[in-house]
Amino acid sequence: MPMNRRTFLGRSAAAGAGVAVVGSVAGPAEAHGHGGRRKRYSFTVMGTTDLHGNVFNWDYFTDKEFDDKNHNDVGLAKISTLVDQVRSEKGRRNTLLIDAGDTIQGTQLSYYYAKVDPITARSGPIHPMAQAMNAIGYDAAALGNHEFNYGIPVLRKFEEQCDFPLLGANALDAKTLRPAFPPYSMHRMCTPLGRDVRVAVLGLTNPGIAIWDKANVSGKMVFPGLEEQAAKWVPKLRAMGADVVVVSAHSGSSGTSSYGDQLPYIENAAALVAEQVPGIDAILVGHAHTEIVEYFVTNKQTDKQVVLSEPLKWGQRLTLFDFDLVWEKGRWTVERVGAKVLNSNTVAEDPQITKLLGDEHDKVVAYVNQVIGTSTAAMATAEAPWKDEPIIDLINHVQAETVKAALAGGSYAALPVLSQASCFSRTAAIPAGLVTIRDAAGLYPFENTLEARLLTGAQLKDYLEYSARYYVQTPAGAPVDTAKLTNADGIPDYNYDAVSGLTYEIDVAKPAGSRIVNLSFEGKALDPAAQFVLAVNNYRASGGGAFPHVAKAEQLWANSDEIRNTIIQWVQSKGTVDPAAFASVGWKLTRDGVPVF
């Protein structure tokens, strides 16, 4: 009895097989003779990654068309236009379209259909990302770590709504250790000469899911290393007749991890996979939000070059892997593969996609523009990376208040509560006057939740020293250029924490590790043995950023509600946001005791 893709996937999942087999790409494809004997065939694999809920070229936090300093555009509507152009040029039968993960979290559009009007509700809507990706015609997508942010039921419903498989060879059922999702998909490219080309797409996700989304996956799924699972599956795919193996990996290429020793696996392992696992032709890289046009890694066992490409994020780029194959000795062999990227700011949005999801877009715009209170003064994050700004104090104030209320009446109620916060966006702002959901939500674009951890004064000093690595060492008396002062060694803004409840100076003239001076609590030098409660987001508490001590510190309390919602609810309950009630200068940058600003 023939089975369609959905029937097969459903039965495979029920049996624990976790395999996706996708039918042939319809129609013949051009092959070329050479010298009357050798036959050649070319095809293209297109790739996106880290779409993060972006369908439209729209910023829901500013309520206007997206723009940045490099004038990038975002969204699947733009990607759709690029994909149509490539298919028109190459012939649709000669192309595949895949994604490397992080699709259903990141914008208010994706949040709305996970939380406000959830796709999991009875007769609930179809997720906008599923609608758009189905309409564009994706062939496969790897799981990203942010796919798990809203819980497994939301992810499973999204999977059900997609007309393409979600792949995760290293996402295993915690009890059976069998694949919880299809590890791979197999695609046939029809050629008029020789047999069809079989293209295997192996999906790999990030092992950091086990700590970043511990509350959602603990006891349900485990996530072993990418190299380990690639070494298991690539030989199987070759044995099954795959002529070409493409890996879609939600893992950066740097070989580093942002969570220290919390897991025995490398977070950004794509290049290591290419280097250590023979039999791979190309890797679509994700997770790191960087642009890699074409990067070749030599496999240690075969000396073969493996090409990697990462198309930035949010639909800003589209990777093209161009494969040239030759028919020899009764099989197709990859003769050459290269990569390039297309920029979505060069094309218009596909009107079919914008029309398809226009109603969903309008609903979300109306939602984020709901007024929830007023502010007595304007606040902004533009200078927050180097100054203690009231807008970051607001986050810390709300977090500290929330933790104090949660611990009231308990054995830790008497301990002082401190709070950490980062500048997630340098363009977030709270206006003077009316405050909307989008204003408050813009302070916290991530789905982090709040925890309380027990730390000592000595541990907090270590924590602050680690955070202060973010600044570039700048000698006393030398000019200060704020454009060059921060993000030392590529440390992102979200991995620099300001801690409220203490006062301290960061001497940027000193080397990293010895920058925190005049550290005090309530006007006195901080007692290394004193105990404090730190209100901290779950990413940091789980080891994200590899900050010292916090991941191993005792957890006193945890909340399942997003910090973003906590801020929104706080504004609604207060009615008025008055910086005079919470803003203070608790930290500043200095050089040899002289303030930088």
Side-chain angles (χ1 to χ4, degrees), residues 226-485:
L226 284 82
E227 308 99 305
E228 168 191 322
Q229 293 300 302
K232 173 183 177 180
W233 284 101
V234 172
K236 290 184 178 181
L237 296 175
R238 289 294 185 180
M240 291 167 59
D243 302 296
V244 178
V245 174
V246 178
V247 173
S248 184
H250 193 75
S251 180
S253 64
S254 65
T256 61
S257 290
S258 67
Y259 47 80
D261 61 357
Q262 297 299 301
L263 277 181
Y265 308 118
I266 300 298
E267 176 184 352
N268 296 302
L272 295 174
V273 171
E275 182 182 80
Q276 297 177 13
V277 181
I280 297 170
D281 296 296
I283 300 180
L284 178 65
V285 179
H287 184 62
H289 289 204
T290 59
E291 181 174 354
I292 301 173
V293 176
E294 182 182 59
Y295 173 42
F296 287 97
V297 174
T298 302
N299 183 267
K300 286 185 174 181
Q301 294 187 40
T302 64
D303 287 330
K304 178 183 175 180
Q305 295 283 294
V306 182
V307 64
L308 281 66
S309 182
E310 182 174 6
L312 201 53
K313 61 183 179 181
W314 304 349
Q316 293 174 349
R317 304 288 186 273
L318 176 70
T319 280
L320 305 185
F321 291 110
D322 290 316
F323 289 86
D324 294 327
L325 278 64
V326 61
W327 179 264
E328 56 185 8
K329 297 180 179 178
R331 60 171 296 176
W332 288 108
T333 302
V334 176
E335 187 174 53
R336 179 192 173 277
V337 56
K340 61 184 177 182
V341 298
L342 304 181
N343 194 325
S344 63
N345 72 5
T346 63
V347 296
E349 292 183 314
D350 183 342
Q352 290 186 328
I353 301 301
T354 56
K355 181 180 180 181
L356 176 69
L357 292 163
D359 289 344
E360 288 84 347
H361 173 72
D362 291 343
K363 284 181 181 179
V364 175
V365 169
Y367 164 75
V368 300
N369 281 291
Q370 292 179 57
V371 174
I372 55 174
T374 60
S375 178
T376 62
M379 297 178 283
T381 57
E383 296 186 332
W386 54 86
K387 288 183 181 179
D388 187 347
E389 289 287 301
I391 197 165
I392 304 299
D393 291 338
L394 172 60
I395 298 173
N396 275 326
H397 180 71
V398 172
Q399 291 182 163
E401 266 199 3
T402 302
V403 168
K404 286 177 184 176
L407 298 179
S411 55
Y412 298 97
L415 291 181
V417 177
L418 314 178
S419 179
Q420 62 78 224
S422 303
C423 176
F424 294 117
S425 167
R426 298 193 183 193
T427 59
I430 298 290
L434 299 179
V435 178
T436 63
I437 285 177
R438 66 179 173 84
D439 297 325
L443 298 183
Y444 226 106
F446 299 106
E447 270 68 42
N448 294 344
T449 57
L450 189 60
E451 297 190 16
R453 297 280 176 134
L454 185 65
L455 295 173
T456 66
Q459 290 174 327
L460 284 163
K461 185 176 187 300
D462 290 344
Y463 188 102
L464 290 170
E465 286 285 9
Y466 184 85
S467 184
R469 302 174 312 132
Y470 169 76
Y471 294 104
V472 175
Q473 188 172 2
T474 308
V480 176
D481 181 356
T482 55
K484 300 177 181 179
L485 179 62

Side-chain angles (χ1 to χ4, degrees), residues 540-565:
R540 189 71 77 236
S542 297
F547 277 61
H549 307 303
V550 67
K552 296 179 180 179
E554 182 182 356
Q555 184 191 76
L556 308 182
W557 172 84
N559 188 10
S560 61
D561 200 13
E562 293 94 349
I563 294 171
R564 174 170 59 208
N565 278 347

